[in-house]
Coordinates of all heavy atoms in Angstrom, one line a residue:
Chain A
R203 N -10.5 -34.0 -17.5 CA -9.9 -35.2 -16.8 C -8.3 -35.1 -16.7 O -7.7 -35.6 -15.8 CB -10.3 -36.5 -17.5 CG -11.7 -36.9 -17.1 CD -12.1 -38.2 -17.8 NE -12.2 -38.1 -19.2 CZ -11.3 -38.6 -20.0 NH1 -10.2 -39.2 -19.6 NH2 -11.4 -38.5 -21.3
E204 N -7.7 -34.4 -17.7 CA -6.3 -34.3 -17.7 C -5.8 -32.8 -17.7 O -4.9 -32.4 -18.5 CB -5.7 -35.0 -19.0 CG -6.0 -36.5 -19.0 CD -5.8 -37.1 -20.4 OE1 -6.4 -36.7 -21.3 OE2 -4.9 -38.0 -20.4
A205 N -6.5 -32.1 -16.8 CA -6.3 -30.6 -16.9 C -4.8 -30.2 -16.7 O -4.3 -29.4 -17.4 CB -7.1 -30.0 -15.8
N206 N -4.1 -30.9 -15.8 CA -2.8 -30.5 -15.6 C -1.8 -30.9 -16.7 O -0.8 -30.2 -17.0 CB -2.2 -31.0 -14.2 CG -1.9 -29.9 -13.3 OD1 -2.4 -28.8 -13.4 ND2 -1.1 -30.2 -12.2
Q207 N -2.2 -31.9 -17.4 CA -1.4 -32.2 -18.7 C -1.7 -31.2 -19.7 O -0.7 -30.8 -20.4 CB -1.8 -33.6 -19.2 CG -1.3 -34.8 -18.4 CD 0.2 -34.8 -18.4 OE1 0.8 -34.5 -19.4 NE2 0.8 -35.3 -17.3
V208 N -2.9 -30.7 -19.8 CA -3.2 -29.6 -20.7 C -2.4 -28.4 -20.3 O -1.7 -27.8 -21.2 CB -4.7 -29.3 -20.7 CG1 -5.0 -28.0 -21.4 CG2 -5.5 -30.4 -21.2
R209 N -2.4 -28.1 -19.0 CA -1.6 -26.9 -18.6 C -0.1 -27.0 -18.9 O 0.5 -26.0 -19.2 CB -1.8 -26.7 -17.1 CG -3.3 -26.3 -16.8 CD -3.4 -26.1 -15.3 NE -4.8 -25.9 -14.9 CZ -5.5 -26.7 -14.1 NH1 -5.0 -27.7 -13.6 NH2 -6.8 -26.4 -13.9
A210 N 0.4 -28.2 -18.9 CA 1.8 -28.4 -19.1 C 2.1 -28.2 -20.6 O 3.3 -28.0 -21.0 CB 2.3 -29.7 -18.6
H211 N 1.1 -28.3 -21.5 CA 1.3 -28.3 -22.9 C 0.8 -27.1 -23.6 O 0.8 -27.0 -24.8 CB 0.7 -29.5 -23.5 CG 1.5 -30.8 -23.2 ND1 1.3 -31.5 -22.0 CD2 2.4 -31.5 -23.9 CE1 2.1 -32.5 -22.0 NE2 2.8 -32.5 -23.1
I212 N 0.4 -26.1 -22.8 CA -0.1 -24.9 -23.5 C 0.7 -23.7 -22.9 O 1.2 -23.7 -21.8 CB -1.6 -24.6 -23.2 CG1 -1.9 -24.5 -21.7 CG2 -2.5 -25.7 -23.8 CD1 -3.2 -23.9 -21.4
G213 N 0.6 -22.6 -23.7 CA 1.0 -21.3 -23.2 C -0.2 -20.5 -23.3 O -1.0 -20.6 -24.2
Y214 N -0.4 -19.6 -22.2 CA -1.7 -18.9 -22.1 C -1.4 -17.4 -21.8 O -0.5 -17.2 -21.0 CB -2.6 -19.5 -21.0 CG -3.8 -18.7 -20.7 CD1 -4.9 -18.6 -21.5 CD2 -3.9 -18.0 -19.4 CE1 -6.0 -17.8 -21.2 CE2 -5.0 -17.3 -19.1 CZ -6.1 -17.2 -20.0 OH -7.2 -16.5 -19.7
M215 N -2.0 -16.5 -22.6 CA -1.9 -15.1 -22.2 C -3.3 -14.6 -22.0 O -4.1 -14.6 -22.9 CB -1.3 -14.3 -23.4 CG 0.3 -14.2 -23.3 SD 0.9 -13.3 -24.7 CE 0.4 -11.6 -24.3
S216 N -3.5 -14.1 -20.8 CA -4.9 -13.7 -20.5 C -5.1 -12.3 -21.0 O -4.1 -11.6 -21.4 CB -5.2 -13.7 -19.0 OG -4.4 -12.7 -18.3
Q217 N -6.3 -11.8 -21.0 CA -6.7 -10.5 -21.5 C -6.0 -9.4 -20.8 O -5.5 -8.4 -21.4 CB -8.2 -10.3 -21.3 CG -8.9 -9.9 -22.5 CD -10.4 -10.0 -22.4 OE1 -10.9 -10.5 -21.4 NE2 -11.1 -9.6 -23.4
T218 N -5.9 -9.5 -19.5 CA -5.2 -8.5 -18.7 C -3.7 -8.9 -18.6 O -3.4 -10.1 -18.5 CB -5.7 -8.4 -17.3 OG1 -5.8 -9.8 -16.7 CG2 -7.1 -7.8 -17.3
F219 N -2.9 -7.9 -18.6 CA -1.5 -8.1 -18.5 C -1.2 -8.8 -17.2 O -1.7 -8.4 -16.1 CB -0.7 -6.8 -18.6 CG 0.7 -6.9 -18.3 CD1 1.6 -7.5 -19.2 CD2 1.3 -6.5 -17.1 CE1 2.9 -7.6 -19.0 CE2 2.6 -6.7 -16.8 CZ 3.4 -7.2 -17.7
S220 N -0.3 -9.8 -17.2 CA -0.3 -10.7 -16.0 C 1.1 -11.1 -15.7 O 1.3 -12.1 -15.1 CB -1.1 -11.9 -16.3 OG -0.7 -12.5 -17.5
L221 N 2.1 -10.3 -16.0 CA 3.5 -10.5 -15.4 C 3.5 -9.8 -14.1 O 2.7 -8.9 -13.8 CB 4.6 -10.1 -16.4 CG 4.6 -10.8 -17.7 CD1 5.8 -10.3 -18.5 CD2 4.7 -12.3 -17.5
Y222 N 4.6 -10.0 -13.3 CA 4.7 -9.4 -12.0 C 5.5 -8.0 -12.2 O 6.6 -8.0 -12.6 CB 5.5 -10.3 -11.1 CG 4.7 -11.5 -10.7 CD1 4.9 -12.7 -11.5 CD2 3.7 -11.5 -9.8 CE1 4.1 -13.8 -11.2 CE2 3.0 -12.6 -9.5 CZ 3.1 -13.7 -10.2 OH 2.4 -14.8 -9.9
G223 N 4.7 -6.9 -12.0 CA 5.3 -5.6 -12.2 C 6.4 -5.2 -11.4 O 7.3 -4.5 -11.7
S224 N 6.5 -5.8 -10.1 CA 7.5 -5.4 -9.2 C 8.7 -6.3 -9.4 O 9.7 -6.2 -8.6 CB 7.0 -5.4 -7.8 OG 6.6 -6.7 -7.4
L225 N 8.7 -7.2 -10.4 CA 9.9 -8.0 -10.7 C 10.5 -7.5 -12.0 O 9.8 -7.0 -12.8 CB 9.5 -9.5 -10.8 CG 9.5 -10.4 -9.6 CD1 8.7 -9.8 -8.4 CD2 9.1 -11.8 -9.9
T226 N 11.8 -7.8 -12.1 CA 12.4 -7.3 -13.3 C 12.2 -8.3 -14.5 O 11.6 -9.4 -14.3 CB 14.0 -7.3 -13.2 OG1 14.5 -8.6 -12.9 CG2 14.3 -6.4 -12.0
V227 N 12.6 -7.9 -15.7 CA 12.4 -8.8 -16.8 C 13.0 -10.1 -16.6 O 12.4 -11.2 -16.7 CB 13.1 -8.1 -18.1 CG1 13.2 -9.1 -19.2 CG2 12.4 -6.8 -18.4
A228 N 14.3 -10.1 -16.1 CA 15.0 -11.4 -15.8 C 14.3 -12.2 -14.7 O 14.2 -13.4 -14.8 CB 16.4 -11.1 -15.5
E229 N 13.8 -11.5 -13.7 CA 13.2 -12.2 -12.6 C 11.9 -12.9 -13.0 O 11.5 -14.0 -12.6 CB 12.9 -11.3 -11.4 CG 14.2 -10.9 -10.7 CD 14.1 -9.7 -9.8 OE1 13.1 -9.0 -9.9 OE2 15.1 -9.4 -9.1
N230 N 11.1 -12.2 -13.9 CA 9.9 -12.8 -14.4 C 10.2 -14.1 -15.2 O 9.5 -15.1 -15.1 CB 9.1 -11.8 -15.3 CG 8.1 -11.0 -14.5 OD1 7.1 -11.5 -14.1 ND2 8.4 -9.8 -14.2
L231 N 11.2 -14.0 -16.1 CA 11.6 -15.1 -16.9 C 12.0 -16.3 -16.0 O 11.6 -17.4 -16.2 CB 12.7 -14.7 -17.9 CG 12.2 -13.9 -19.0 CD1 13.4 -13.3 -19.8 CD2 11.4 -14.7 -20.0
R232 N 12.8 -16.0 -15.0 CA 13.3 -17.0 -14.1 C 12.1 -17.7 -13.3 O 12.0 -18.9 -13.2 CB 14.3 -16.5 -13.1 CG 14.9 -17.5 -12.1 CD 16.1 -17.0 -11.4 NE 17.2 -16.9 -12.3 CZ 18.0 -17.9 -12.7 NH1 17.7 -19.1 -12.2 NH2 19.0 -17.7 -13.5
F233 N 11.2 -16.8 -12.9 CA 10.0 -17.3 -12.2 C 9.2 -18.3 -13.1 O 8.9 -19.4 -12.7 CB 9.1 -16.2 -11.7 CG 7.8 -16.7 -11.2 CD1 7.7 -17.3 -10.0 CD2 6.6 -16.5 -11.9 CE1 6.5 -17.8 -9.4 CE2 5.4 -16.9 -11.3 CZ 5.4 -17.6 -10.1
F234 N 8.9 -17.9 -14.3 CA 8.1 -18.8 -15.1 C 8.8 -20.0 -15.6 O 8.3 -21.1 -15.7 CB 7.5 -18.0 -16.3 CG 6.3 -17.2 -15.9 CD1 6.4 -15.8 -15.7 CD2 5.1 -17.8 -15.6 CE1 5.3 -15.1 -15.3 CE2 4.0 -17.0 -15.2 CZ 4.1 -15.7 -15.1
A235 N 10.1 -19.9 -15.8 CA 11.0 -21.0 -16.1 C 10.9 -22.0 -14.9 O 10.8 -23.3 -15.1 CB 12.4 -20.6 -16.3
G236 N 10.9 -21.5 -13.7 CA 10.8 -22.4 -12.5 C 9.4 -23.1 -12.5 O 9.3 -24.3 -12.2
I237 N 8.4 -22.3 -12.7 CA 7.0 -22.8 -12.7 C 6.8 -23.9 -13.8 O 6.2 -24.9 -13.5 CB 6.0 -21.7 -12.9 CG1 6.0 -20.8 -11.7 CG2 4.6 -22.2 -13.1 CD1 5.5 -21.4 -10.4
Y238 N 7.4 -23.7 -15.0 CA 7.2 -24.6 -16.0 C 8.3 -25.7 -16.0 O 8.4 -26.5 -16.9 CB 7.3 -23.9 -17.4 CG 6.0 -23.1 -17.7 CD1 6.0 -21.8 -18.0 CD2 4.8 -23.8 -17.8 CE1 4.9 -21.1 -18.3 CE2 3.6 -23.1 -18.1 CZ 3.7 -21.7 -18.3 OH 2.5 -21.1 -18.6
R239 N 9.1 -25.7 -15.0 CA 10.2 -26.7 -14.9 C 11.1 -26.8 -16.1 O 11.3 -27.9 -16.6 CB 9.6 -28.0 -14.5 CG 9.0 -28.0 -13.1 CD 9.1 -29.3 -12.4 NE 8.1 -30.3 -12.8 CZ 8.1 -31.5 -12.5 NH1 9.1 -32.0 -11.8 NH2 7.1 -32.3 -12.8
V240 N 11.5 -25.7 -16.6 CA 12.4 -25.7 -17.7 C 13.8 -26.2 -17.2 O 14.3 -25.8 -16.2 CB 12.6 -24.3 -18.3 CG1 13.7 -24.2 -19.3 CG2 11.3 -23.7 -18.8
P241 N 14.3 -27.3 -17.9 CA 15.6 -27.8 -17.4 C 16.7 -26.8 -17.4 O 16.8 -25.9 -18.3 CB 15.9 -28.9 -18.4 CG 14.6 -29.2 -19.1 CD 13.8 -27.9 -19.1
P242 N 17.4 -26.7 -16.3 CA 18.5 -25.7 -16.1 C 19.4 -25.6 -17.3 O 19.8 -24.5 -17.7 CB 19.2 -26.1 -14.9 CG 18.3 -27.0 -14.1 CD 17.4 -27.6 -15.1
A243 N 19.7 -26.7 -18.0 CA 20.6 -26.7 -19.1 C 20.0 -25.9 -20.3 O 20.7 -25.4 -21.1 CB 20.9 -28.1 -19.6
M244 N 18.7 -25.8 -20.4 CA 18.1 -25.1 -21.5 C 17.7 -23.7 -21.1 O 17.3 -22.9 -22.0 CB 16.8 -25.9 -21.9 CG 17.1 -27.3 -22.4 SD 15.5 -28.1 -22.9 CE 16.1 -29.7 -23.3
F245 N 17.7 -23.4 -19.8 CA 17.1 -22.1 -19.4 C 17.8 -20.9 -20.1 O 17.2 -20.0 -20.6 CB 17.2 -22.0 -17.9 CG 16.7 -20.6 -17.4 CD1 15.5 -20.2 -17.7 CD2 17.6 -19.8 -16.8 CE1 15.0 -18.9 -17.3 CE2 17.2 -18.5 -16.4 CZ 15.9 -18.1 -16.6
E246 N 19.2 -21.0 -20.1 CA 19.9 -19.8 -20.6 C 19.6 -19.5 -22.0 O 19.3 -18.3 -22.4 CB 21.4 -20.0 -20.4 CG 22.3 -18.8 -20.8 CD 21.8 -17.5 -20.1 OE1 21.3 -17.5 -19.0 OE2 22.0 -16.5 -20.8
A247 N 19.5 -20.5 -22.8 CA 19.2 -20.3 -24.3 C 17.8 -19.8 -24.4 O 17.6 -18.8 -25.2 CB 19.4 -21.7 -25.0
R248 N 16.9 -20.3 -23.7 CA 15.5 -19.8 -23.8 C 15.3 -18.4 -23.2 O 14.5 -17.7 -23.7 CB 14.6 -20.8 -23.1 CG 14.6 -22.1 -23.8 CD 13.5 -23.0 -23.3 NE 13.6 -24.4 -23.9 CZ 12.9 -25.4 -23.6 NH1 12.0 -25.3 -22.7 NH2 13.1 -26.6 -24.2
R249 N 16.0 -18.1 -22.2 CA 16.0 -16.8 -21.6 C 16.4 -15.8 -22.7 O 15.8 -14.7 -22.9 CB 16.8 -16.7 -20.4 CG 16.7 -15.4 -19.5 CD 17.6 -15.4 -18.4 NE 19.0 -15.3 -18.9 CZ 19.6 -14.1 -19.1 NH1 19.0 -13.0 -18.8 NH2 20.8 -14.0 -19.6
R250 N 17.6 -16.1 -23.3 CA 18.1 -15.2 -24.3 C 17.2 -15.1 -25.5 O 16.9 -14.0 -26.0 CB 19.5 -15.7 -24.8 CG 20.7 -15.2 -24.0 CD 21.9 -15.2 -24.8 NE 22.2 -16.5 -25.4 CZ 22.9 -17.5 -24.9 NH1 23.4 -17.3 -23.7 NH2 23.1 -18.7 -25.5
F251 N 16.5 -16.2 -25.9 CA 15.6 -16.2 -27.0 C 14.4 -15.3 -26.6 O 14.0 -14.4 -27.4 CB 15.1 -17.6 -27.2 CG 14.0 -17.7 -28.2 CD1 14.3 -17.7 -29.6 CD2 12.7 -17.8 -27.8 CE1 13.3 -17.8 -30.5 CE2 11.6 -17.9 -28.7 CZ 11.9 -17.9 -30.1
A252 N 13.9 -15.4 -25.4 CA 12.7 -14.6 -25.0 C 13.1 -13.1 -25.0 O 12.3 -12.3 -25.4 CB 12.2 -15.1 -23.7
I253 N 14.2 -12.8 -24.5 CA 14.6 -11.4 -24.4 C 14.8 -10.8 -25.7 O 14.4 -9.7 -26.0 CB 15.9 -11.3 -23.5 CG1 15.5 -11.5 -22.0 CG2 16.6 -9.9 -23.7 CD1 16.7 -11.5 -21.1
A254 N 15.4 -11.6 -26.6 CA 15.6 -11.1 -28.0 C 14.3 -11.0 -28.7 O 14.1 -9.9 -29.4 CB 16.5 -12.1 -28.8
M255 N 13.4 -11.9 -28.5 CA 12.1 -11.9 -29.1 C 11.3 -10.6 -28.7 O 10.6 -10.0 -29.4 CB 11.3 -13.1 -28.7 CG 10.1 -13.4 -29.5 SD 9.3 -14.9 -28.8 CE 8.3 -14.2 -27.5
A256 N 11.5 -10.3 -27.4 CA 10.7 -9.1 -26.9 C 11.5 -7.8 -27.2 O 11.0 -6.7 -27.0 CB 10.6 -9.2 -25.4
G257 N 12.7 -7.9 -27.7 CA 13.5 -6.8 -28.0 C 14.0 -6.0 -26.8 O 14.0 -4.8 -26.7
L258 N 14.3 -6.8 -25.7 CA 14.6 -6.2 -24.4 C 16.1 -6.4 -24.1 O 16.4 -6.4 -22.9 CB 13.7 -6.8 -23.3 CG 12.3 -6.3 -23.3 CD1 11.4 -7.2 -22.4 CD2 12.2 -4.8 -22.9
E259 N 16.9 -6.6 -25.1 CA 18.4 -6.8 -24.8 C 18.9 -5.6 -24.0 O 18.6 -4.4 -24.4 CB 19.2 -7.0 -26.0 CG 18.9 -8.3 -26.8 CD 18.0 -8.0 -28.0 OE1 17.2 -7.1 -27.9 OE2 18.0 -8.8 -28.9
G260 N 19.6 -5.8 -23.0 CA 20.2 -4.7 -22.2 C 19.2 -4.1 -21.1 O 19.6 -3.3 -20.4
R261 N 17.9 -4.6 -21.2 CA 17.0 -4.1 -20.2 C 16.5 -5.2 -19.2 O 15.4 -5.2 -18.7 CB 15.8 -3.5 -20.9 CG 16.2 -2.3 -21.8 CD 15.0 -1.5 -22.2 NE 14.4 -0.9 -21.0 CZ 13.2 -0.3 -21.1 NH1 12.6 -0.2 -22.3 NH2 12.6 0.2 -20.0
E262 N 17.4 -6.2 -19.1 CA 17.0 -7.4 -18.3 C 16.7 -7.0 -16.8 O 15.9 -7.7 -16.2 CB 18.1 -8.4 -18.3 CG 18.3 -9.2 -19.6 CD 19.2 -8.5 -20.6 OE1 19.5 -7.3 -20.4 OE2 19.7 -9.1 -21.5
D263 N 17.3 -6.0 -16.3 CA 17.1 -5.6 -14.9 C 16.1 -4.5 -14.7 O 16.0 -3.9 -13.6 CB 18.5 -5.2 -14.3 CG 19.4 -6.4 -14.3 OD1 18.9 -7.5 -14.1 OD2 20.7 -6.2 -14.5
A264 N 15.4 -4.2 -15.8 CA 14.3 -3.1 -15.6 C 13.1 -3.8 -15.0 O 12.7 -4.9 -15.3 CB 14.0 -2.6 -17.0
L265 N 12.5 -3.1 -14.1 CA 11.2 -3.6 -13.5 C 10.2 -3.6 -14.6 O 10.1 -2.7 -15.4 CB 10.7 -2.6 -12.4 CG 11.5 -2.6 -11.1 CD1 10.9 -1.7 -10.1 CD2 11.6 -4.1 -10.6
V266 N 9.4 -4.7 -14.7 CA 8.4 -4.8 -15.8 C 7.4 -3.7 -15.8 O 6.9 -3.3 -16.8 CB 7.8 -6.3 -15.6 CG1 6.5 -6.3 -16.4 CG2 8.8 -7.3 -16.1
S267 N 7.1 -3.2 -14.6 CA 6.1 -2.1 -14.5 C 6.5 -0.9 -15.2 O 5.7 0.0 -15.6 CB 5.8 -1.8 -13.0 OG 7.0 -1.4 -12.4
T268 N 7.8 -0.8 -15.5 CA 8.3 0.4 -16.2 C 8.3 0.3 -17.7 O 8.7 1.2 -18.4 CB 9.7 0.8 -15.8 OG1 10.6 -0.3 -16.2 CG2 9.8 0.9 -14.2
L269 N 8.0 -0.9 -18.2 CA 8.0 -1.1 -19.7 C 6.8 -0.6 -20.4 O 5.7 -0.6 -19.8 CB 8.1 -2.6 -20.0 CG 9.4 -3.4 -19.4 CD1 9.3 -4.8 -19.8 CD2 10.6 -2.8 -19.9
A270 N 6.9 -0.2 -21.6 CA 5.8 0.2 -22.4 C 5.0 -1.0 -22.9 O 5.5 -2.1 -22.9 CB 6.2 1.1 -23.6
G271 N 3.7 -0.8 -23.3 CA 2.8 -1.9 -23.6 C 3.3 -2.9 -24.5 O 3.2 -4.1 -24.2
G272 N 3.9 -2.5 -25.7 CA 4.4 -3.5 -26.6 C 5.4 -4.5 -26.1 O 5.4 -5.7 -26.3

Side-chain angles (χ1 to χ4, degrees):
Chain A
R203 284 182 291 103
E204 299 166 299
N206 245 18
Q207 287 295 327
V208 169
R209 293 181 185 118
H211 289 82
I212 62 166
Y214 171 71
M215 271 180 75
S216 69
Q217 229 166 357
T218 50
F219 172 73
S220 54
L221 297 183
Y222 295 93
S224 62
L225 267 58
T226 66
V227 171
E229 286 162 353
N230 268 288
L231 286 166
R232 181 165 290 281
F233 172 70
F234 282 103
I237 289 296
Y238 286 121
R239 293 212 277 172
V240 173
M244 299 181 183
F245 173 64
E246 184 48 34
R248 293 191 187 173
R249 191 184 68 89
R250 273 205 306 271
F251 174 82
I253 286 174
M255 195 181 85
L258 286 166
E259 294 99 333
R261 300 196 60 190
E262 289 87 343
D263 295 325
L265 289 183
V266 162
S267 58
T268 64
L269 300 179

